[in-house]
């Protein structure tokens, strides 16, 4: 797919220049949250944060959540894939057997042909038609081919954007411009897509910006890069991101291309709950289609929490893993900054396994759990951060 990945940004550049020449500035920027559902979701999230009381560490996210599995990076003929979003939603539900399907066509191609046929609006109409709250969750985002190294048009990284009311401007040659768009969209959630897919797709070695970090919450493990290593590179410079594993479909095989799954712990299978889970980084990645991993701190703080206290000097991390069709686990491992292995537990090949790790906290830090299955598949939890 490398040829496509190079061709798309190059074509985008040419067409974008044309766009500018004819005097149309492109999308008009994102106007933030004129979507009522987004507003509600944001309010819920604020309520979560306010829920902290005297017994609860600030930043500890509590709640009753269940795992759901999805594919949140996929293309259709609206960019360089096949068929329509409606086909993708039906296929991912009926054949892929997913709970969550989000179509994310390439931003620049959603603007084409010019003048626009409004594929963005059409995708949302098809997502709304397929959406069954509580049963099947559908939505549309877009993929931005963020930044280019000129004059060779090598991309510095791709990013998916979720929960944006509007398309971002079509062309932003430098990924810092894209970051500005993301930071200005209060309702948007960003994702690092297939890190390391080519040599320069590392966003200038994960150059850190605190205002962008507010919205950049997700990190894909799918792709050709050494994503397990790169995940820690991103965490070590300060990004607060949680793992995803999507299929990046370019054929009509949504949900069925492989067993890669992005998992979310949700109160219910609704867009509002998905938004809250993304906002609170309550995701996991899996190479097994029906496996789950969760990690809790001090029995009540969900993975993804950024706990603003380390006064106790120890934290108890409980990890639970499960597989729906009998694949067994070999080990559960706990990692910290620098990809340092801190602890591990033997699962003896069982399809459910749990471990508790009591760790010293001497300085601001984070923890990531990884579960290894006996067949070589693995799962990665969202981190739990402990900060001043
Ligand atoms: Zn991409
Ligand atoms: Zn893609």
């Amino acid at each position: 797919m490398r040829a496509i990945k190079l061709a798309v940004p190059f074509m985008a550049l040419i067409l974008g220049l044309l766009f500018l020449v004819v005097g149309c500035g492109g999308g008009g920027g994102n106007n933030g949250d004129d979507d009522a559902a987004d507003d509600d979701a944001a309010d819920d999230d604020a309520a979560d944060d306010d829920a902290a009381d005297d017994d609860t560490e600030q930043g500890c996210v509590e709640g009753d959540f269940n795992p759901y599995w999805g594919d949140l990076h996929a293309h259709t003929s609206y960019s360089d894939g096949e068929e329509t979003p409606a086909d993708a939603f039906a296929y991912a539900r009926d054949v892929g057997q997913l709970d969550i399907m989000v179509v994310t066509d390439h931003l620049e191609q959603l603007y084409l042909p010019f003048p626009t046929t409004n594929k963005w609006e059409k995708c949302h109409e098809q997502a709304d038609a397929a959406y069954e709250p509580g049963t099947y969750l559908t939505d549309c985002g877009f993929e931005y081919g963020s930044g280019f190294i000129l004059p060779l048009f090598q991309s510095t990284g791709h990013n998916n954007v979720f929960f944006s009311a509007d398309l971002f401007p079509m062309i932003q040659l430098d990924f810092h411009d894209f970051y500005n768009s993301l930071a200005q969209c209060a309702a948007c959630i960003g994702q690092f897509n297939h890190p390391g897919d080519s040599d320069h797709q590392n966003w200038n070695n994960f150059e850190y910006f605190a205002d962008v970090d507010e919205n950049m919450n997700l990190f894909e493990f799918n792709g050709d890069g050494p994503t397990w290593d790169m995940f820690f590179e991103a965490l070590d410079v300060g990004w607060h991101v949680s793992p995803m594993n999507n299929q990046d479909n370019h054929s009509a095989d949504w949900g069925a291309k492989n067993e890669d799954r992005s998992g979310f712990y949700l109160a219910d299978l609704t867009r509002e709950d998905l938004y809250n889970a993304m906002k609170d980084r309550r995701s996991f990645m899996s190479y097994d289609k029906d496996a789950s991993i969760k990690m809790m701190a001090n029995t009540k703080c969900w993975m993804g929490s950024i706990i603003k206290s380390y006064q106790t000097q120890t934290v108890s991390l409980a990890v639970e893993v499960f597989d729906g069709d009998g694949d067994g686990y070999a080990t559960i491992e706990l990692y910290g900054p620098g990809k340092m292995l801190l602890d591990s537990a033997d699962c003896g090949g069982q399809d459910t396994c749990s471990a508790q790790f009591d760790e010293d906290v001497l300085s601001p830090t984070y923890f990531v759990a990884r579960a290894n299955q006996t067949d070589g598949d693995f799962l990665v939890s969202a981190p739990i951060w402990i900060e001043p």
Side-chain angles (χ1 to χ4, degrees):
M1 284 298 160
R2 185 147 296 166
I4 289 173
K5 284 169 184 169
L6 286 173
V8 168
F10 184 76
M11 186 176 73
L13 176 74
I14 300 304
L15 292 167
L17 292 174
L18 178 64
F19 224 59
L20 295 173
V21 166
V22 299
C24 178
N30 52 290
N31 299 324
D33 48 355
D34 56 351
D35 180 359
D38 288 348
D39 285 347
D40 291 342
D43 290 344
D44 290 346
D45 190 54
D48 285 347
D49 293 340
D50 293 342
D53 57 31
D54 293 344
D55 299 330
T56 302
E57 296 94 337
Q58 189 190 350
C60 170
V61 176
E62 299 183 49
D64 293 324
F65 306 112
N66 294 306
Y68 295 92
W69 290 265
D71 179 7
L72 292 90
H73 183 165
H75 301 275
T76 72
S77 65
Y78 284 18
S79 61
D80 56 356
E82 297 175 352
E83 302 184 7
T84 67
D87 295 320
F89 296 130
Y91 193 93
R93 178 192 59 213
D94 300 336
V95 181
Q97 302 200 306
L98 298 184
D99 302 313
I100 303 166
M101 181 70 219
V102 181
V103 168
T104 59
D105 278 305
H106 292 283
L107 171 68
E108 58 275 10
Q109 287 167 295
L110 289 171
Y111 279 101
L112 302 176
F114 180 82
T116 179
T117 53
N118 218 338
K119 295 175 187 169
W120 179 237
E121 199 172 288
K122 286 182 182 174
C123 185
H124 282 287
E125 288 169 5
Q126 293 164 49
D128 289 348
Y131 180 34
E132 294 180 67
T135 303
Y136 185 49
L137 201 174
T138 55
D139 208 347
C140 305
F142 56 83
E143 180 177 21
Y144 191 61
S146 173
F148 304 104
I149 298 171
L150 298 174
L152 299 175
F153 304 105
Q154 292 168 304
S155 176
T156 48
H158 293 189
N159 295 83
N160 271 4
V161 177
F162 304 104
F163 292 102
S164 181
D166 302 303
L167 295 176
F168 283 10
M170 184 190 202
I171 294 299
Q172 300 175 69
L173 285 176
D174 188 296
F175 73 95
H176 299 97
D177 297 327
F178 166 73
Y179 280 0
N180 286 336
S181 294
L182 185 64
Q184 288 166 24
C185 177
C188 291
I189 307 277
Q191 170 181 276
F192 290 119
N193 288 1
H194 44 71
D197 241 24
S198 64
D199 288 347
H200 300 287
Q201 291 196 31
N202 57 35
W203 303 267
N204 193 26
N205 295 313
F206 295 104
E207 183 181 5
Y208 181 75
F209 298 92
D211 58 338
V212 182
D213 184 30
E214 294 285 316
N215 298 20
M216 188 77 82
N217 288 7
L218 305 170
F219 182 105
E220 281 191 335
F221 274 68
N222 50 288
D224 298 332
T227 49
W228 168 248
D229 297 340
M230 294 179 82
F231 185 49
F232 287 89
E233 289 175 31
L235 295 174
D236 284 342
V237 298
W239 293 100
H240 294 88
V241 287
S242 62
M244 303 282 282
N245 206 26
N246 297 313
Q247 298 186 354
D248 196 4
N249 312 79
H250 287 81
S251 303
D253 55 4
W254 308 276
K257 176 181 176 181
N258 53 42
E259 293 202 10
D260 289 8
R261 296 290 185 275
S262 293
F264 286 94
Y265 276 89
L266 307 178
D268 197 3
L269 192 57
T270 69
R271 289 174 180 168
E272 292 77 11
D273 289 312
L274 179 63
Y275 179 83
N276 287 333
M278 285 185 175
K279 202 73 183 158
D280 290 338
R281 300 159 296 272
R282 201 166 47 254
S283 75
F284 61 92
M285 68 74 78
S286 177
Y287 285 116
D288 183 294
K289 67 182 187 307
D290 53 12
S292 62
I293 181 168
K294 85 175 190 186
M295 177 167 67
M296 309 286 288
N298 298 335
T299 70
K300 59 181 187 285
C301 305
W302 272 87
M303 60 183 185
S305 293
I306 304 172
I307 299 170
K308 295 288 188 180
S309 160
Y310 55 97
Q311 293 155 355
T312 60
Q313 300 192 338
T314 62
V315 61
S316 177
L317 299 157
V319 183
E320 290 178 23
V321 296
F322 174 75
D323 188 283
D325 58 5
D327 289 326
Y329 288 92
T331 54
I332 294 174
E333 299 171 322
L334 187 73
Y335 289 84
K339 207 180 68 177
M340 182 180 288
L341 179 62
L342 302 173
D343 224 329
S344 70
D346 189 357
C347 293
Q350 299 298 306
D351 61 5
T352 62
C353 185
S354 60
Q356 181 166 326
F357 304 114
D358 295 315
E359 300 296 320
D360 293 334
V361 179
L362 304 176
S363 60
T365 192
Y366 66 82
F367 301 96
V368 173
R370 168 171 165 153
N372 301 296
Q373 295 193 313
T374 54
D375 62 5
D377 288 341
F378 68 88
L379 296 82
V380 180
S381 76
I384 290 175
W385 291 264
I386 301 181
E387 299 187 352

